[in-house]
Amino acid sequence: MTRRYAIYFAPPPDSALAGLGAELLGRDPETGEARPQPRLDGIDPDRFHAITEDPRHYGFHATLKAPFPLAEGVFGEALHAAAEAFAVGRAPVSCPALALASIGGFLALVPSAAAPEVHALADACVEAFDRFRAPLTAAELERRRRSPLTPAQDRHLERWGYPYVFDEFRFHMTLTARLTDTAEHERVRAVLAERTAPVCIDPLRIDAIAVYEQADLQAPFLVTGRYKLRGGAA
């Protein structure tokens, strides 16, 4: 059993964005409760449940610091205290309105324009919480390297435990697994574009970070702490 933690952006639980994410993925990461997924035109319900399995496991979110087990001698309470202290010193940030996009075949909500404030927040989280992370084992490095990595991504993997940080970072809120069939990809994309349009109108205000926690590798991630960014107005 390996408990893991992550620092994510999670939309406010009473927001339309959080409600839509929980509905589409079929689980509320705040409570852990299953949600009935909508019936989408032209998509078999069982197939939609299958292609949302991976993002459902992680819970609707955008990664700021990717999942990690705690370093030896470090406890979850210390991570939560650090997250609260971090939030006290950081201002909320503004993100351009979201848009549905394909990232390597995965469908996700991403900023519709450059988001330097969000990028800076993610960079700060990677650095601030790295001291809590247990080093990757040789087996974990080998598993990660089964997917093609650029030299820069491999350096990030060795140093930070995750390849997609800093210059490789892209803010995204994943909605599906990788869809390799072109016809299915386009069909699901069209339906999700229509479904997500109402939450893709206004800029997104990121005014909190969330600690997500996983009891073991088979358990779904849950929100176990939410900390308001209150270092000044953005």
Side-chain angles (χ1 to χ4, degrees), residues 3 32 41 67 100 113 115 139 152 154 158 169 193 212:
R3 186 174 295 272
D41 290 343
L100 187 71
D154 195 74
E158 286 199 346
F169 170 77
Y212 277 49

Side-chain angles (χ1 to χ4, degrees), residues 117-206:
E117 292 182 9
V118 178
H119 207 300
L121 175 63
D123 291 352
C125 285
V126 169
E127 293 183 320
F129 298 104
D130 201 60
R131 62 192 174 95
F132 295 95
R133 176 180 64 85
L136 292 179
T137 65
E140 288 167 334
L141 279 169
E142 181 183 358
R143 179 181 61 82
R144 278 287 187 183
R145 285 170 171 154
R146 290 173 192 159
S147 299
L149 297 176
T150 67
Q153 290 167 351
D154 195 74
R155 288 193 296 271
H156 289 325
L157 177 65
E158 286 199 346
R159 172 61 184 86
W160 302 102
Y162 191 63
Y164 308 112
V165 297
F166 301 117
D167 51 315
E168 301 291 337
F169 170 77
R170 185 174 183 183
F171 182 93
H172 62 284
M173 307 188 78
T174 304
L175 293 174
T176 72
R178 180 181 283 114
L179 303 175
T180 57
D181 180 86
T182 301
E184 180 182 49
H185 181 279
E186 291 309 308
R187 184 168 62 252
V188 175
R189 181 171 184 163
V191 171
L192 288 184
E194 181 179 0
R195 196 83 182 196
T196 58
V199 300
C200 294
I201 298 172
D202 299 319
L204 178 66
R205 180 176 170 81
I206 298 178

